[in-house]
């Protein structure tokens, strides 16, 4: 029986490293692994002298891969799995709730989402709003997965 809360991976140096998602839960037929991030993303990228919108809102390839690994791990016998990268909003990304869907050809039942949440509030006093925002992100992610072809 494998521990669902952390799982070993190997590095080239043969050191055993444990990867642990910040939040894991099951909702309906899907499992979720949420990785909270504290860095502020910039949705604009420079290519030469031109600025363009980054399709992943500035999330790094390493973060996307990490979310995919977490989602693959928590999927196990579930029908679907979601990896959610949860970033704080900023002056460059002011959407309180947004989810961006990344699909992988290798496994259509795994989806990666980039979500943003407003952390500029007193979390002790505003817990209901925070839980409400998280619920909307989860429901949106689940609906995106359910409606995907």
């Amino acid at each position: 029986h494998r521990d669902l809360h952390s799982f070993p991976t190997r590095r080239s140096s043969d050191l055993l490293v444990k990867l642990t998602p910040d939040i894991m839960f099951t909702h309906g037929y899907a499992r979720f692994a949420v990785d909270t991030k504290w860095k502020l993303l910039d949705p604009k990228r420079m290519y030469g002298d031109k600025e363009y919108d980054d399709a992943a809102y500035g999330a790094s390839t390493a973060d996307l891969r990490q979310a995919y690994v977490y989602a693959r791990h928590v999927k196990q016998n579930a029908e679907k799995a979601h990896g959610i990268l949860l970033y704080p909003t900023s002056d460059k990304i002011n959407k309180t709730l947004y989810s961006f869907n990344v699909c992988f050809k290798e496994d259509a039942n795994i989806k990666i989402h980039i979500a943003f949440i407003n952390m500029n509030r007193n979390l002790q006093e505003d817990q209901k709003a925070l839980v409400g925002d998280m619920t909307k992100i989860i429901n949106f992610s689940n609906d995106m997965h359910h409606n995907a072809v």
Side-chain angles (χ1 to χ4, degrees), residues 40-46 51-59 90-94 116:
L40 300 177
L41 296 186
D42 187 346
K44 300 287 184 184
R45 295 284 177 147
M46 294 300 293
E51 184 178 76
Y52 66 96
D53 291 331
D54 187 305
Y57 275 73
S90 69
D91 60 341
K92 294 183 179 185
I93 299 175
N94 59 10
F116 300 92

Side-chain angles (χ1 to χ4, degrees), residues 31-129:
R31 292 198 176 135
F32 290 80
V34 181
D35 190 26
T36 58
K37 301 293 186 184
W38 294 104
K39 55 189 161 193
L40 300 177
L41 296 186
D42 187 346
K44 300 287 184 184
R45 295 284 177 147
M46 294 300 293
Y47 186 73
D49 59 349
K50 292 187 177 185
E51 184 178 76
Y52 66 96
D53 291 331
D54 187 305
Y57 275 73
S60 71
T61 302
D63 286 349
L64 291 167
R65 285 183 183 141
Q66 183 179 17
Y68 178 71
V69 168
Y70 285 160
R72 265 188 75 182
H73 174 71
V74 300
K75 183 175 182 273
Q76 294 184 2
N77 295 325
E79 286 183 24
K80 299 173 182 178
H82 301 268
I84 299 176
L85 293 169
L86 185 61
Y87 295 92
T89 58
S90 69
D91 60 341
K92 294 183 179 185
I93 299 175
N94 59 10
K95 297 178 180 185
T96 302
L97 297 170
Y98 174 79
S99 189
F100 172 83
N101 191 32
V102 179
C103 301
F104 293 89
K105 290 180 183 177
E106 297 82 23
D107 192 341
N109 289 322
I110 292 177
K111 299 286 188 273
I112 306 304
H113 308 276
I114 299 169
F116 300 92
I117 195 160
N118 181 3
M119 298 302 288
N120 291 324
R121 54 184 159 194
N122 185 325
L123 298 178
Q124 290 289 337
E125 296 174 7
D126 207 6
Q127 290 180 13
K128 282 186 179 180

Side-chain angles (χ1 to χ4, degrees), residues 3-15:
D3 180 7
L4 280 178
H5 299 290
S6 63
F7 51 100
T9 61
R10 293 238 175 244
R11 288 187 142 185
S12 59
S13 62
D14 258 353
L15 292 174

Side-chain angles (χ1 to χ4, degrees), residues 122-138:
N122 185 325
L123 298 178
Q124 290 289 337
E125 296 174 7
D126 207 6
Q127 290 180 13
K128 282 186 179 180
L130 181 63
V131 170
D133 288 350
M134 283 301 301
T135 300
K136 289 176 187 175
I137 290 171
I138 298 330

